[in-house]
Amino acid sequence: MPANLPAEAKAAWLKVMEAKTPEEKIKAMEEFLSTVPKHKGTEKLIKHIRRRMAELKRELNERREKERALRGGGGSRLYVAKEGDIQVAVVGPPSSGKTSLLCCLSNTTLRPDDLPFSTVEPVPSMFVEDGVYVQLVKTPSLVLDQSSDLNAIALATVRNADAVILVIGADTDRGAVERIFQFFEDEGVYLTPLRNYVKIERRGLGGIQIMGSGRVIGGTLNDVKKILNEYGIYHAVVRIEGEVTLDEVEEALYLDRIYKPTIAVISKTDLLKPSDSVIDLLSKSGVRYYLADLKTCSVDTRRLLEDLLKVTGRIRVFTKPIHSKTYTPKPIVVKAGSTVGEVAAMIHSSLAETFKYAVVWRREDFPNRPKRVGRDYVLSDNEIVEIHA
């Protein structure tokens, strides 16, 4: 993206950042585009803004359709509200096995599409393992090498999800997988772990604070502050990881890069070659992958759950009523690092207010080896907690 936009365009972008509603953002983006000079250096920026405007318009239409449906007016369901403990977008090219995976993991009665690209809206289902409810949302198949509304719907679903399952057949070539990664990266969504990135969070006070372990190549921290000041930003936290350029700092104002933890499922394993380049690509990209025979549903569901919890930074906490001999089978799924006090507040505010102490067990040790802890005790995955108040 360009680092030489006119002052008029920079002022217009500040209005976009300050807009609160989708309607306000669309109007501000239209004004911004009218101020951007049209040349080769701005092609990527203009393309991104137009895609984002289309996404916002689609969100508006979905919201209106949902409101109309609630009033009894029908309409297609494009917006999938989060349900369960984790929402996972299931994406992939056509005929890769997305529907088959949903059928293996949930009680859905979906049938694979008779024709490629027949699915034109997100389709939800629920995968339940060890008491954890994982909402799977199958997206329309990705259309590679060209723009499509189906791609925009898949992108919006991925943005909303906590994680991604990428389904690819063993007959998919490495170049196709690279194009899938590139499509999402062009929109600021990374399916592979970020190594070099900038994140800018505007604040009301405090000046420009630069954090992180990264460094700016070809510039100084004062240059970073100067760029933000040119956009009318005088208070913000700028986190830099890895090595970034000043152009990438400016790009971060337009394109908020987000990482969506991704697990790849490789189907059609009978077509797998001994030295498969797709597996090599996934390994080098840091993406966990499974080999799955979806015809026989040979999917390691427990391992899949464990990996989804790990990549999304979540843990299972089981609760035990004081007078019960065992713990509840349905865990509370919380962020890693959560404390006993935070879990008590999630159960009921009165528990947190009247908290005295808690007894904690490792699930594999229960009912032996209990330990008494306070509200600041940091819980681990698969622990059982009995709260005394």
Side-chain angles (χ1 to χ4, degrees), residues 3-53:
N4 58 349
L5 291 178
E8 182 184 10
K10 293 176 180 178
W13 186 252
L14 182 61
K15 293 182 180 179
V16 176
M17 290 190 288
E18 292 176 342
K20 303 297 183 185
T21 66
E23 294 92 340
E24 291 174 351
K25 282 188 178 293
I26 291 170
K27 183 177 180 181
M29 285 179 176
E30 289 174 344
E31 181 182 338
F32 170 72
L33 286 179
S34 70
T35 65
V36 176
K38 310 298 188 292
H39 54 73
K40 190 171 181 62
T42 62
E43 286 179 356
K44 183 179 177 182
L45 170 62
I46 292 172
K47 183 179 179 181
H48 167 69
I49 298 302
R50 285 177 175 166
R51 281 184 180 176
R52 183 58 184 144
M53 287 173 63

Side-chain angles (χ1 to χ4, degrees), residues 204-225:
L205 295 171
I208 304 296
Q209 301 178 44
I210 299 178
M211 306 174 66
S213 59
R215 68 188 186 93
V216 179
I217 301 173
T220 66
L221 298 183
N222 282 333
D223 291 328
V224 172
K225 294 180 180 180

Side-chain angles (χ1 to χ4, degrees), residues 194-238:
L194 282 165
R195 293 180 176 85
N196 305 305
Y197 73 95
V198 183
K199 185 173 181 62
I200 300 172
E201 182 181 345
R202 296 182 66 200
R203 297 286 178 88
L205 295 171
I208 304 296
Q209 301 178 44
I210 299 178
M211 306 174 66
S213 59
R215 68 188 186 93
V216 179
I217 301 173
T220 66
L221 298 183
N222 282 333
D223 291 328
V224 172
K225 294 180 180 180
K226 182 179 178 182
I227 288 174
L228 268 61
N229 291 165
E230 288 174 354
Y231 283 84
I233 300 174
Y234 300 96
H235 306 284
V237 173
V238 182

Side-chain angles (χ1 to χ4, degrees), residues 145-171:
D145 304 321
Q146 59 180 302
S147 61
S148 168
D149 284 345
L150 298 181
N151 288 348
I153 294 171
L155 176 65
T157 305
V158 167
R159 283 185 182 277
N160 189 57
D162 301 307
V164 173
I165 291 179
L166 172 63
V167 186
I168 48 179
D171 55 343

Side-chain angles (χ1 to χ4, degrees), residues 48-63:
H48 167 69
I49 298 302
R50 285 177 175 166
R51 281 184 180 176
R52 183 58 184 144
M53 287 173 63
E55 191 175 309
L56 287 169
K57 289 176 180 177
R58 184 172 290 104
E59 288 175 9
L60 276 175
N61 290 334
E62 290 171 4
R63 187 176 69 187

